[in-house]
């Protein structure tokens, strides 16, 4: 059973559209939730969320966390072809004592067509 | 420049021939980990290290070993590689598990 679930798994939009990507997670021992963007190389960091209801924003991208409903969303407004990428969310999961592994969702493949 | 380096970047090997992929970071990060990325399966953590001499299994540890004898280095060892370990591997480091992970450039491994 997946502990971090992203939806949709893929999405095709036209330039200028607004998209909303979802990431839901299990409740245990929440510490943070992180978003990454991956183009044809290593993932790059977008946002770290720890508090519910506080929006993080960077240009056309924004993200918010809902700790009551156990999900986060990543919004991209006025999409551009350069936004085409895999978007990943991840959260630390306690694996015993003070050890934490990091679990990623399967990602959302976003394709922005001109 | 703050970075995570991995070597080699590309490797083609044969079943059963032991190999090591090195990973080094220069940011004095405590948390380091290894991931493999396969189509449709996303990034899966193989092993992680909370600090020097503290390592633990991630979600897919079978067939891999790691060590963390010093803070900056976290090598991944495949004692007897098999074709199902053909994958793209990333090393990453961060201040703690909750913080931004800095990823290395990746190692593309093919086991024939």
């Amino acid at each position: 059973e997946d502990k971090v679930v992203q939806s949709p798994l893929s999405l095709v939009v036209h330039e200028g559209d607004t998209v909303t990507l979802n990431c839901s997670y299990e409740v245990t021992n929440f510490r943070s939730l992180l978003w990454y963007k991956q183009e044809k190389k290593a993932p790059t960091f977008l946002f770290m969320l720890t508090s519910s209801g506080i929006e993080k924003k960077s240009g056309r991208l924004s993200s918010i966390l809902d700790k009551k409903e156990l999900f986060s969303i990543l919004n991209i407004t006025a999409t551009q072809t350069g936004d085409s990428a895999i978007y990943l969310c991840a959260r630390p999961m306690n694996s015993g004592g003070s050890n934490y592994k990091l679990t990623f969702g399967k990602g959302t493949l976003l394709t922005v067509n001109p | 420049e703050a970075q995570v380096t991995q070597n080699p970047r590309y490797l083609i090997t044969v079943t059963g021939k032991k190999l090591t992929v090195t990973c080094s970071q220069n940011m004095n990060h405590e948390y380091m980990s290894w991931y493999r990325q396969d189509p449709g399966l996303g990034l899966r953590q193989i092993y992680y290290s909370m600090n020097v001499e503290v390592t633990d299994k991630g979600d897919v540890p079978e067939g891999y070993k790691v060590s963390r004898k010093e803070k900056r280095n976290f090598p991944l060892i495949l004692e007897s590689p098999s074709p199902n370990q053909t994958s793209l591997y990333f090393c990453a480091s961060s201040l703690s598990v909750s913080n931004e992970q800095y990823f290395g450039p990746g190692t593309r491994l093919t086991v024939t």
Side-chain angles (χ1 to χ4, degrees):
Chain A
E1 182 185 336
D2 289 348
K3 304 226 174 19
V4 179
V5 179
Q6 292 188 245
S7 63
L9 291 181
S10 67
L11 187 57
V12 180
V13 300
H14 292 290
E15 265 192 319
D17 288 350
T18 292
V19 299
T20 298
L21 311 182
N22 299 283
C23 176
S24 63
Y25 62 91
E26 290 187 358
V27 70
T28 51
N29 293 312
F30 183 84
R31 290 174 65 128
S32 64
L33 188 137
L34 303 108
W35 283 97
Y36 291 86
K37 177 183 181 182
Q38 185 178 23
E39 296 170 270
K40 291 189 187 302
K41 45 189 185 336
T44 54
F45 173 76
L46 293 175
F47 298 110
M48 181 177 77
L49 303 161
T50 55
S51 300
S52 201
I54 298 175
E55 186 183 53
K56 293 276 183 97
K57 202 167 167 62
S58 176
R60 296 176 293 102
L61 277 67
S62 64
S63 185
I64 197 162
L65 179 68
D66 187 325
K67 288 167 79 170
K68 183 180 175 189
E69 300 297 330
L70 309 180
F71 74 92
S72 173
I73 60 172
L74 176 69
N75 278 321
I76 309 175
T77 59
T79 51
Q80 303 171 356
T81 55
D83 295 325
S84 295
I86 298 172
Y87 291 85
L88 298 159
C89 73
R91 64 155 292 198
M93 308 278 289
N94 185 260
S95 54
S98 57
N99 285 357
Y100 280 80
K101 60 182 179 180
L102 191 63
T103 297
F104 281 79
K106 288 187 168 60
T108 294
L109 174 61
L110 174 65
T111 303
V112 181
N113 289 325
Chain B
E1 179 192 353
Q3 60 182 349
V4 178
T5 56
Q6 290 178 233
N7 283 292
R9 295 288 312 279
Y10 302 91
L11 180 60
I12 300 173
T13 190
V14 297
T15 298
K17 185 176 181 183
K18 181 180 178 180
L19 66 92
T20 299
V21 185
T22 63
C23 172
S24 184
Q25 52 96 2
N26 62 0
M27 295 168 278
N28 202 36
H29 285 165
E30 292 194 347
Y31 192 87
M32 295 187 74
S33 52
W34 277 101
Y35 302 90
R36 61 178 290 174
Q37 188 169 35
D38 304 288
L41 296 177
L43 270 172
R44 293 179 293 168
Q45 194 178 50
I46 303 170
Y47 268 94
Y48 66 92
S49 170
M50 301 289 291
N51 212 327
V52 176
E53 301 291 3
V54 180
T55 63
D56 202 358
K57 297 175 182 177
D59 290 319
V60 287
E62 295 78 19
Y64 304 94
K65 283 175 57 176
V66 294
S67 66
R68 185 97 181 270
K69 293 184 169 53
E70 47 189 343
K71 204 168 192 177
R72 63 184 295 125
N73 295 323
F74 191 46
L76 179 70
I77 303 158
L78 285 72
E79 294 269 4
S80 183
S82 63
N84 65 11
Q85 294 177 297
T86 292
S87 188
L88 178 60
Y89 291 86
F90 289 104
C91 179
S93 74
S94 58
L95 282 172
S96 77
V97 67
S98 303
N99 294 101
E100 171 189 356
Q101 299 267 300
Y102 290 78
F103 284 85
T107 295
R108 188 164 290 282
L109 173 66
T110 301
V111 184
T112 60

